[in-house]
Amino acid sequence: MLLLSKAIDKKNCNNYCSNYHEAIEFIGKRWMGMIIYTLLSGPKRYNELIANIPGISDRLLTDRLNDLVDAKLVTKRLIDSSTKKVEYELTASGQAFKDVMLSLQKWIEICAFEKK
């Protein structure tokens, strides 16, 4: 495990930097953080997600949920096969974002982006 306090040597930099960049790009997609944040409180149905994330379009929510399912951060579970009701829930890997989200929230509070 690489620590931020240690310098990253050239040998490990390409792999580390590539993985870091990929992770930041993924989580930085529009609405991705808010979807994860909303699911931290527990499983949600699609309409609950739409209601809890004002401003997100149906299409974008569907795309982002599919991205999260593909990345194995979220599971999609069929509730009722006759009505095709589904529920979305964070996997253990998705739940690991909780500390990241809380740290980011603290950082935002401390370093509040002042409008000029």
Side-chain angles (χ1 to χ4, degrees):
M1 177 185 212
L2 296 172
L3 299 176
L4 290 178
S5 62
K6 292 185 178 181
I8 301 171
D9 61 30
K10 287 185 180 184
K11 180 180 177 184
N12 293 321
C13 183
N14 286 340
N15 188 40
Y16 177 80
C17 292
S18 176
N19 292 342
Y20 178 84
H21 180 72
E22 187 177 336
I24 293 297
E25 287 291 318
F26 183 80
I27 194 66
K29 288 181 181 178
R30 189 167 188 207
W31 299 108
M32 193 68 83
M34 192 63 196
I35 294 167
I36 293 169
Y37 182 79
T38 302
L39 288 171
L40 283 172
S41 62
K44 303 275 185 295
R45 292 190 36 213
Y46 187 89
N47 286 334
E48 292 176 295
L49 289 167
I50 283 284
N52 283 294
I53 307 172
I56 192 169
S57 70
D58 287 336
R59 181 177 177 195
L60 195 51
L61 178 58
T62 298
D63 288 347
R64 293 300 181 253
L65 285 169
N66 287 335
D67 289 343
L68 288 164
V69 169
D70 290 345
K72 297 183 178 17
L73 297 174
V74 168
T75 58
K76 180 179 179 179
R77 185 172 60 92
L78 191 62
I79 296 173
D80 183 0
S81 61
S82 64
T83 59
K84 297 184 180 180
K85 292 181 183 178
V86 296
E87 183 174 72
Y88 296 91
E89 183 175 17
L90 291 173
T91 63
S93 295
Q95 282 289 337
F97 271 101
K98 184 174 186 172
D99 291 339
V100 173
M101 298 299 265
L102 293 174
S103 294
L104 185 57
Q105 184 178 7
K106 285 180 186 177
W107 178 73
I108 290 168
E109 290 169 2
I110 293 169
C111 305
F113 297 100
E114 296 180 21
K115 296 181 181 179
K116 294 179 182 181

